[in-house]
C-alpha cells in the first residue's frame, strides 16, 4: 500500500491520480468500518470534512490519518477542483444504490465555470445579482458564484446577502455550507447559505436575478396515470421527469428578465416525450443558448448525455409565434468550448423539436418506428423479489417457463435462458395461461444500462429453438420484449438496434439509463425500404444505417416541399 501511494505521489496531480487516491483512501476506510454501507451519514460527513484544511474535524486523529495523503494532494488543486473532489468523495462513501437513488452526482468545475461565464455574457451582473441554486448538492454553483463575486470585489457580507442554495439531504447541505465558508474564509454567522429542505415544496416568489441548477434526473415512478394538475403543463402523461420539475421551479424563482442556467439531459431538445416541456419553455422564456456536452462521462461514475442551457424569463408569457433561435456551442472531451451556430426548428409549433447544427431532425424526418418493422414493445412481466415462491431456480416442474434476465442479453449473440450464475436455467411457475408468457421468437432489450456500458440500447434475439423446446418464455422486469405482430425480420432488426447510429438517436429520446416503452415506440428509424436499399449499396452495416437515415430524411424533405 505504501509503495502504491509513493508511486502515485511521483506523478503530477490529475483527475485519474485523484481517483486512484480516493479509491485507496476509501479502501482504508472500509478496512476500519468493514463496509461503506455501514457508515452513518454523520460519520461520512465528518470524514469528508477532514479533507478541508483548517476544518474542526481535521483535529480528529482517527479520521485525519485516514485522509491525510488525499488531503495533501487536494490542497495542490485550485479551489474549484478541490471542492469538486471533496464533494465527490462524500458521495463515494455512500453505497452505489443510495448514490443513484438520491442522484448525488455533482457538476464538474469546467461546466460550472462555463455556465457562469455564459450567463455573464448574457448580461448577468454578479456585482449586484441575487442568485440561488435550488438543488445545491455539494454547492458547486453557490461556491463558484461566491468566488466570482469575490474576484469582482464584493465583500463576504455582501456575497452572503445575495447567494443561497437549497439541499434536501441535511448532511450534504452541511458539507455545501462548509465548502462555501472555506471559499470565503472565516464567515462567522448563525444564518446559513445552504438551507435544508425539499425545494419543490417551497413557495418561492420570482425574486432572483439568476437561478442555476443541476437537478436530479430520472422519471418519478408509481404515479400511474394521475399526476398533479400543475405538472401537466410540462409533462407527458405517465412520464414525469424530475429535471422537468426543477426547470419549472427555476422558472418560477427567477424574475422577469432574469436568467436560468441548467445542466440537464439533452432529451428535452428533440425527444417526443418532451413536447409539453418544450412548449412550456417557449411560452415562459427566450432560450439564450444550448451547449452540448460531447463527453458522456460528465458525472463521476455515470454515463449521461447532457447539455447546459440558459433561459431568459419573459415579462409576458408567449402564446404564439416562433421563438428566437438560440445559439449553440459544444464542450468537447477536453472541456474546450466552441460556438457551433444556432438552433433551428422545422416549423413554428411551440412543441417543435430543436434541431442542432450538423444533425438531421430524426424525429421530424425519419417517420418509421418499430411498428413499421412489425414488432411492438412489451415490458418484462416477472418481478422476482415480489414472487420468489414462483421462481424455480435450476429446475422445471409442472407448468413453468424459462426466465430471461437482463444479463442474458448480449448484443450480437443469440439470447438463451440462463440463471444469473450461468450454471442452469431459472423458471417461473404458472397455474394458468398468462399474457406475460411470450410464445413467439422475439427480441429482448435490457431495460436499464449502467455506466460501464457504451450503448443505451442492448438487444438480442430469442431463437426459435427456445420456443420449440419450452413452448414459451418469460422476461424479468428489467427486460423489454419486441414481439412480432405479423411478419418481422428479427435478425435484421436486432442488428439495426445494436448500431451506434440508432443508439445515438435513442439518446435524444431517453433522458435516463432506464428505457421506457414510450421512448421505444417513438424511436425514429429509417424506413425498412431505405434500409434494404442502403444495404445493397454498402457492405458496412453501420455506414448503411447512416445512409438509410439520410435517405429517409431526404424523402421526408421532398414530401414536405411538394
Amino acid at each position: 500500500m505504501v509503495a502504491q501511494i509513493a508511486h502515485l505521489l511521483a506523478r503530477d496531480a490529475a483527475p485519474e491520480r485523484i481517483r486512484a487516491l480516493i479509491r485507496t483512501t476509501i479502501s482504508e476506510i472500509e478496512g476500519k468500518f468493514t463496509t461503506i454501507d455501514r457508515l452513518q451519514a454523520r460519520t461520512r460527513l465528518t470524514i469528508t470534512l477532514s479533507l478541508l484544511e483548517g476544518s474542526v474535524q481535521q483535529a480528529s486523529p482517527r479520521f485525519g490519518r485516514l485522509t491525510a495523503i488525499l488531503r495533501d494532494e487536494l490542497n495542490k488543486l485550485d479551489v474549484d477542483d478541490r471542492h469538486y473532489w471533496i464533494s465527490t468523495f462524500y458521495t463515494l462513501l455512500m453505497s452505489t444504490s443510495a448514490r443513484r437513488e438520491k442522484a448525488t452526482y455533482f457538476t464538474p468545475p469546467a461546466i460550472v465555470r462555463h455556465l457562469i461565464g455564459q450567463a455573464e455574457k448574457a448580461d448577468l451582473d454578479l456585482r449586484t445579482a441575487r442568485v440561488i441554486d435550488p438543488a445545491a448538492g455539494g454547492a458547486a454553483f453557490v461556491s463558484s458564484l461566491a468566488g466570482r463575486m469575490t474576484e469582482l470585489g464584493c465583500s463576504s457580507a455582501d456575497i452572503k446577502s445575495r447567494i443561497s442554495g437549497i439541499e434536501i439531504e441535511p448532511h450534504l447541505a452541511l458539507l455545501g455550507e462548509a465548502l462555501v465558508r472555506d471559499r470565503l474564509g472565516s464567515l462567522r454567522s448563525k444564518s446559513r447559505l445552504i438551507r435544508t429542505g425539499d425545494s419543490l415544496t417551497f413557495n418561492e416568489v420570482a425574486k432572483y436575478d439568476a437561478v442555476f441548477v443541476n437537478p436530479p434526473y430520472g422519471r418519478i415512478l408509481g404515479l400511474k396515470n394521475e399526476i398533479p394538475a400543475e405538472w401537466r403543463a410540462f409533462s407527458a402523461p405517465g412520464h414525469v421527469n424530475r429535471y422537468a420539475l426543477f426547470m419549472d421551479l427555476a422558472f418560477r424563482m427567477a424574475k422577469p428578465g432574469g436568467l436560468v442556467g441548467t445542466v440537464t439531459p439533452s432529451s428535452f431538445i428533440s425527444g417526443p416525450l418532451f413536447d409539453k416541456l418544450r412548449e412550456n419553455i417557449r411560452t415562459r422564456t427566450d432560450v439564450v443558448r444550448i451547449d452540448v456536452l460531447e463527453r458522456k462521462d460528465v458525472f463521476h461514475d455515470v454515463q449521461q448525455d447532457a447539455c447546459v442551457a440558459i433561459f431568459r424569463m419573459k415579462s409576458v408569457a408567449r402564446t404564439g409565434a416562433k421563438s428566437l433561435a438560440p445559439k449553440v456551442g459544444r464542450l468537447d472531451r477536453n472541456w474546450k468550448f466552441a460556438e457551433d451556430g444556432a438552433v433551428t426548428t422545422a416549423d413554428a409549433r411551440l412543441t417543435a423539436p430543436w434541431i442542432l447544427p450538423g444533425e438531421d431532425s430524426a424525429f421530424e424526418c425519419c417517420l418509421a418506428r418499430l411498428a413499421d418493422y412489425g414488432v411492438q414493445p412489451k415490458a418484462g412481466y416477472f418481478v422476482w423479489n415480489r414472487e420468489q415462491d414462483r421462481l424455480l431456480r435450476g429446475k422445471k416442474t409442472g407448468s413453468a417457463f424459462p426466465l430471461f434476465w437482463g444479463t442474458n442479453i448480449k448484443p450480437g449473440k443469440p439470447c438463451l435462458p440462463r440463471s444469473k450464475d450461468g450454471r442452469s436455467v431459472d423458471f417461473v411457475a404458472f397455474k394458468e395461461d398468462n399474457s406475460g408468457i411470450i410464445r413467439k421468437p422475439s427480441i429482448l432489450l435490457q431495460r436499464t444500462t449502467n455506466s460501464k456500458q457504451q450503448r443505451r440500447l442492448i438487444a438480442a434475439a430469442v431463437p426459435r429453438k427456445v420456443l420449440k423446446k419450452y413452448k414459451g418464455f418469460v422476461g424479468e422486469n428489467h427486460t423489454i420484449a419486441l414481439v412480432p405482430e405479423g411478419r418481422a425480420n428479427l435478425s435484421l432488426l436486432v442488428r439495426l438496434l445494436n448500431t451506434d447510429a440508432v443508439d445515438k438517436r435513442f439518446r435524444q429520446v431517453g433522458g435516463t439509463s432506464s428505457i421506457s416503452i414510450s421512448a421505444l415506440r417513438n424511436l425514429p428509424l429509417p424506413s425498412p425500404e431505405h434500409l434494404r436499399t442502403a444495404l445493397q449499396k454498402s457492405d458496412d452495416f453501420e455506414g448503411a444505417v447512416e445512409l438509410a437515415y439520410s435517405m429517409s430524411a431526404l424523402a421526408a424533405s421532398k414530401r414536405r416541399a411538394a
Side-chain angles (χ1 to χ4, degrees):
M1 184 70 71
V2 174
Q4 178 186 4
I5 294 174
H7 174 70
L8 291 169
L9 291 175
R11 300 171 52 191
D12 292 334
E16 285 307 316
R17 184 182 179 208
I18 297 298
R19 288 188 182 100
L21 282 170
I22 286 176
R23 287 194 295 269
T24 300
T25 304
I26 289 177
S27 178
E28 293 188 355
I29 292 170
E30 286 183 318
K32 296 288 185 182
F33 293 92
T34 305
T35 173
I36 290 298
D37 295 349
R38 295 180 61 183
L39 286 179
Q40 295 183 355
R42 182 177 178 180
T43 303
R44 185 165 59 241
L45 175 64
T46 302
I47 294 173
T48 304
L49 288 176
S50 72
L51 293 171
L52 276 175
E53 194 72 41
S55 161
V56 173
Q57 281 78 4
Q58 190 178 316
S60 168
R62 185 185 185 191
F63 299 136
R65 283 194 296 269
L66 287 172
T67 60
I69 295 175
L70 177 59
R71 180 174 66 250
D72 291 344
E73 202 59 33
L74 291 178
N75 284 336
K76 298 176 183 178
L77 304 178
D78 66 44
V79 64
D80 289 330
D81 288 315
R82 183 168 70 252
H83 284 182
Y84 169 74
W85 286 113
I86 289 173
S87 299
T88 299
F89 179 80
Y90 175 84
T91 69
L92 295 177
L93 292 177
M94 303 167 65
S95 67
T96 301
S97 59
R99 189 161 65 248
R100 289 178 178 170
E101 178 186 351
K102 296 180 179 180
T104 49
Y105 301 105
F106 299 138
T107 317
I111 297 178
V112 175
R113 288 191 290 264
H114 171 76
L115 200 51
I116 292 174
Q118 292 298 329
E120 288 187 286
K121 288 181 180 179
D123 299 327
L124 176 65
D125 187 354
L126 289 176
R127 293 171 298 183
T128 59
R130 191 174 185 185
V131 190
I132 191 170
D133 178 354
F141 280 112
V142 178
S143 177
S144 295
L145 285 162
R148 178 59 181 148
M149 291 175 178
T150 300
E151 292 175 358
L152 294 171
C154 304
S155 67
S156 293
D158 176 42
I159 295 170
K160 175 179 172 293
S161 70
R162 295 190 288 110
I163 64 171
S164 61
I166 305 171
E167 170 54 42
I168 193 170
E169 208 272 307
H171 293 89
L172 187 52
L174 289 172
L175 174 60
E177 184 76 17
L179 295 176
V180 179
R181 290 171 182 261
D182 179 64
R183 168 86 68 166
L184 294 174
S186 179
L187 185 62
R188 300 185 181 280
S189 173
K190 292 182 179 181
S191 61
R192 287 176 49 183
L193 300 180
I194 310 295
R195 289 176 283 165
T196 300
D198 182 355
S199 57
L200 293 175
T201 66
F202 286 20
N203 187 22
E204 294 273 2
V205 296
K207 61 182 180 181
Y208 296 97
D209 299 290
V211 182
F212 291 92
V213 64
N214 174 11
Y217 305 162
R219 292 173 59 195
I220 298 178
L221 303 176
L223 294 174
K224 297 183 179 180
N225 294 323
E226 295 298 322
I227 63 174
E230 60 269 23
W231 293 2
R232 294 173 189 162
F234 52 86
S235 298
H239 194 275
V240 179
N241 199 297
R242 280 182 278 183
Y243 83 78
L245 299 181
F246 275 89
M247 289 179 76
D248 169 68
L249 171 66
F251 294 163
R252 287 187 279 113
M253 298 176 96
K255 293 177 179 178
L259 297 178
V260 171
T262 63
V263 185
T264 68
S266 53
S267 48
F268 80 89
I269 296 175
S270 53
L273 295 175
F274 295 87
D275 283 358
K276 286 191 174 183
L277 180 57
R278 285 192 293 274
E279 180 178 16
N280 192 269
I281 289 171
R282 287 184 170 113
T283 299
R284 300 162 72 181
T285 80
D286 281 314
V287 186
V288 177
R289 67 177 309 112
I290 299 173
D291 295 330
V292 176
L293 305 175
E294 293 190 335
R295 60 188 297 162
K296 299 297 182 287
D297 58 340
V298 171
F299 308 109
H300 187 84
D301 195 34
V302 68
Q303 295 278 332
Q304 176 68 61
D305 296 276
C307 67
V308 297
I310 295 178
F311 310 90
R312 189 184 305 279
M313 301 307 301
K314 297 178 184 297
S315 298
V316 179
R318 185 188 299 272
T319 56
K322 195 171 182 177
S323 38
L324 301 175
K327 293 181 179 179
V328 177
R330 294 181 185 273
L331 276 163
D332 68 15
R333 290 194 58 82
N334 297 314
W335 304 116
K336 292 183 179 179
F337 173 73
E339 292 284 359
D340 197 30
V343 172
T344 58
T345 54
D347 54 56
R349 290 175 299 133
L350 294 178
T351 59
W354 284 293
I355 305 171
L356 302 179
E359 295 185 1
D360 59 50
S361 178
F363 304 99
E364 296 294 312
C365 298
C366 296
L367 302 181
R369 298 294 185 261
L370 283 173
D372 296 290
Y373 285 81
V375 300
Q376 283 293 334
K378 182 177 183 177
Y381 159 80
F382 188 63
V383 184
W384 71 272
N385 54 357
R386 294 182 185 174
E387 298 183 274
Q388 295 189 42
D389 58 315
R390 296 177 57 199
L391 178 60
L392 309 177
R393 295 191 177 275
K395 61 180 180 178
K396 172 179 168 61
T397 59
S399 181
F401 294 86
L403 175 65
F404 281 83
W405 301 88
T407 52
N408 298 151
I409 303 169
K410 310 291 184 184
K413 297 181 179 180
C415 191
L416 302 174
R418 288 284 187 276
S419 59
K420 285 192 173 182
D421 61 12
R423 298 176 181 175
S424 59
V425 176
D426 293 331
F427 295 86
V428 179
F430 289 86
K431 293 182 179 179
E432 56 188 28
D433 195 22
N434 188 289
S435 61
I437 304 169
I438 299 173
R439 301 182 184 274
K440 300 178 181 178
S442 303
I443 293 172
L444 286 179
L445 295 100
Q446 292 185 9
R447 193 168 189 174
T448 58
T449 52
N450 60 51
S451 60
K452 296 180 180 179
Q453 294 172 311
Q454 294 300 312
R455 290 189 178 130
R456 198 68 59 79
L457 291 178
I458 298 175
V462 178
R464 190 173 298 276
K465 66 180 183 180
V466 172
L467 277 299
K468 185 176 181 179
K469 180 176 181 179
Y470 296 109
K471 311 305 180 185
F473 67 90
V474 179
E476 188 248 343
N477 71 308
H478 288 104
T479 66
I480 295 176
L482 302 182
V483 183
E485 292 198 319
R487 294 184 61 184
N489 188 337
L490 296 185
S491 60
L492 176 64
L493 181 57
V494 78
R495 288 189 71 190
L496 175 64
L497 293 174
N498 282 320
T499 60
D500 290 339
V502 173
D503 191 76
K504 177 175 68 175
R505 287 159 176 90
F506 177 77
R507 288 171 182 271
Q508 298 177 36
V509 182
T512 70
S513 59
S514 179
I515 298 173
S516 73
I517 297 294
S518 297
L520 276 177
R521 286 200 180 103
N522 285 287
L523 172 63
L525 296 169
S527 72
E529 295 79 11
H530 288 136
L531 180 58
R532 286 193 290 268
T533 300
L535 287 171
Q536 293 172 0
K537 295 182 178 182
S538 175
D539 294 331
D540 174 34
F541 193 85
E542 189 75 46
V545 174
E546 286 289 3
L547 175 60
Y549 269 115
S550 298
M551 294 168 66
S552 292
L554 179 61
S557 178
K558 289 181 178 178
R559 285 196 298 270
R560 286 198 303 270

